[in-house]
Amino acid sequence: MEQTKPPRADRQLSSEKAEAILEGGMQEFLAHGYAATSMDRVAIAAGVSKATVYSHFQDKEGLFIALIQRLVEGKFRSVFGPANAQVLQTAPEIVLRDLANRLLDTCMNEPQFLNFMRVILGESGRFPQLARAFVRNIEQTSFKRLRQYFTTCPQLKLSDPEATARIFIGTLVHFMIVQEMLHGKDIVPMERARLIENLVKLIINQAEKT
Amino acid sequence: MEQTKPPRADRQLSSEKAEAILEGGMQEFLAHGYAATSMDRVAIAAGVSKATVYSHFQDKEGLFIALIQRLVEGKFRSVFGPANAQVLQTAPEIVLRDLANRLLDTCMNEPQFLNFMRVILGESGRFPQLARAFVRNIEQTSFKRLRQYFTTCPQLKLSDPEATARIFIGTLVHFMIVQEMLHGKDIVPMERARLIENLVKLIINQAEKT
DNA sequence: TCAATGAACTGAACTGTATAGTTTAGTTAG
DNA sequence: CTAACTAAACTATACAGTTCAGTTCATTGA
């Protein structure tokens, strides 16, 4: 078969290649971590020549940083869910339960999210700027949103909304880490709904008490 | 120096060398992660020849697994602190506050602990058996201990001690991850005592309510 | 309409270094 | 004497990053 027909003539646009490289780099880096990822495999995954990779990004570290920054600022920023508008009309019990469920759902529905967290946590010693970007874009945002809700919700009068927000998010994130990331589901089983129910009640009762 | 009993069946290798290799491997693997650690540097760190490393351990993966298993079962098992005996006489408020402080202290006092967690979390996708060993030896143990306390403490009558234990530990572990591991101290500052105070009050009030 | 230009890209070879793991010849110590 | 150990060389592979000759294609200019 001597055919060499190029089936499709792609327009040579630099930004499309850059996009493909970031996409291929995401696959590789999230699957194997920083050190175990090779630039040859990134180029193959991106469907691009190695030289093109190095014409768009300075080096392996530069690609990795650009890639993680992008994920932190875009793709995974929505993990902690957007706040609805008329939540203040709804009972806090329901709002909080829904929020918790949405937060944990997002981790399951984004299959890459667990690997993303693994890379962020595993490389947080060698790439502290990426860890800080994660905190700034994801943790801080969710703290702020929840504290805001705790502060403005008429039925809730918490003495320290910020600390309560930390307890809420911390409980759920740790649950996700132990059950999913560390494969603890069968070792320390716990129904998601049961944990959420207790967490929500703890906060509601606290508010009623004051 | 008293000598060890010379067993004969299998190969008899010096346990001192094995110890040194595990120690050197710990330094290297915890500092650089699995993929970025070289066996040459492990041998140098252990003060041992490379051939000796391979006579004690089958390969890099075998050394890594043996090493992490050991850390999980020994060195870092105490992180979540031993339970005292006469705690049941003390007010729960004080017991829980002390427990939380001890838990967070241990992370600071064991400077390697953060890197240990980074490796466990970062490699949990490629070494699920190590992640499970971590859950079995550290998370499960602390859940059990705290649930036991919640169940037996006369002043506390929690409706779900297991879930409450998860909330307690999850809040503290997440705090440690965000503030220390992800370098979030300056981005999302939070006094440790303030968080602990709120967490403890949340649980105490819940108990009084019932 | 048709070259001609030039920038983006390709594939493959290439450099230099690092790696996992083995082998060998020789040394130490019980 | 022997078994653990050492130092160093060695094999074979992989990697980051570069170079280069050649291809593709859109734009230009006549």
Side-chain angles (χ1 to χ4, degrees), chain B residues 12-14 17 48-49 52 56:
Chain B
Q12 167 57 2
L13 298 171
S14 143
K17 297 291 177 179
V48 135
S49 80
T52 301
H56 281 82

Side-chain angles (χ1 to χ4, degrees), chain A residues 3-70:
Chain A
Q3 75 84 26
T4 43
K5 176 78 160 252
R8 178 63 170 53
D10 290 19
R11 42 206 159 276
Q12 312 292 57
L13 231 342
S14 159
S15 62
E16 288 183 9
K17 296 291 178 180
E19 185 59 36
I21 294 164
L22 289 165
E23 201 63 34
M26 185 179 86
Q27 275 176 232
E28 294 298 315
F29 280 117
L30 293 196
H32 309 110
Y34 178 75
T37 289
S38 91
M39 293 298 267
D40 292 77
R41 285 202 305 269
V42 168
I44 291 168
V48 137
S49 81
K50 207 172 151 187
T52 302
V53 172
Y54 279 96
S55 78
H56 285 267
F57 299 93
Q58 199 188 353
D59 53 16
K60 186 183 180 182
E61 195 174 304
L63 170 59
F64 181 66
I65 291 173
L67 164 58
I68 298 292
Q69 286 280 2
R70 207 177 74 126

Side-chain angles (χ1 to χ4, degrees), chain B residues 4-12:
Chain B
T4 54
K5 217 71 180 270
R8 52 223 64 81
D10 268 330
R11 52 215 151 138
Q12 167 57 2

Side-chain angles (χ1 to χ4, degrees), chain B residues 6-204:
Chain B
R8 52 223 64 81
D10 268 330
R11 52 215 151 138
Q12 167 57 2
L13 298 171
S14 143
S15 57
E16 287 182 10
K17 297 291 177 179
E19 186 59 36
I21 293 164
L22 288 166
E23 202 63 34
M26 184 179 84
Q27 275 176 233
E28 295 298 315
F29 280 117
L30 293 196
H32 309 110
Y34 178 75
T37 289
S38 90
M39 292 299 265
D40 291 78
R41 287 201 304 271
V42 168
I44 291 168
V48 135
S49 80
K50 205 174 150 186
T52 301
V53 173
Y54 279 98
S55 78
H56 281 82
F57 299 93
Q58 199 190 353
D59 53 17
K60 186 183 182 182
E61 196 174 302
L63 170 59
F64 180 67
I65 290 173
L67 164 58
I68 299 292
Q69 285 281 3
R70 207 178 73 126
L71 293 180
V72 156
E73 290 167 10
K75 202 167 166 48
F76 292 128
R77 222 167 54 88
S78 63
V79 162
F80 286 85
N84 289 352
Q86 74 289 19
V87 279
L88 292 182
Q89 261 63 295
T90 320
E93 189 172 340
I94 292 171
V95 174
L96 292 176
R97 198 189 305 130
D98 281 7
L99 178 65
N101 273 311
R102 250 186 308 134
L103 195 154
L104 292 180
D105 278 341
T106 323
C107 303
M108 326 298 219
N109 297 347
E110 285 273 14
Q112 289 280 47
F113 183 72
L114 274 188
N115 283 330
F116 170 68
M117 287 278 289
R118 285 190 179 108
V119 171
I120 290 282
L121 293 163
E123 300 298 335
S124 59
R126 282 168 294 274
F127 294 93
Q129 78 272 39
L130 298 182
R132 277 188 266 258
F134 179 88
V135 172
R136 231 177 285 116
N137 283 277
I138 298 184
E139 299 278 353
Q140 191 179 37
T141 302
S142 62
F143 291 165
K144 213 178 282 182
R145 195 131 50 193
L146 192 49
R147 188 199 54 201
Q148 176 107 6
Y149 172 71
F150 282 151
T151 307
T152 56
C153 175
Q155 294 105 316
L156 288 176
K157 295 206 167 78
L158 300 168
S159 65
D160 192 335
E162 172 83 22
T164 311
R166 298 264 191 155
I167 292 167
F168 190 85
I169 306 237
T171 298
L172 297 173
V173 171
H174 179 258
F175 179 73
M176 184 266 280
I177 287 175
V178 172
Q179 309 299 115
E180 304 293 332
M181 186 177 301
L182 296 179
H183 315 97
K185 268 206 265 247
D186 303 327
I187 301 164
V188 283
M190 164 63 70
E191 279 298 313
R192 174 214 282 214
R194 177 175 156 201
L195 182 71
I196 292 178
E197 210 52 41
N198 271 270
L199 177 59
V200 170
K201 270 193 196 143
L202 215 60
I203 291 170
I204 303 279

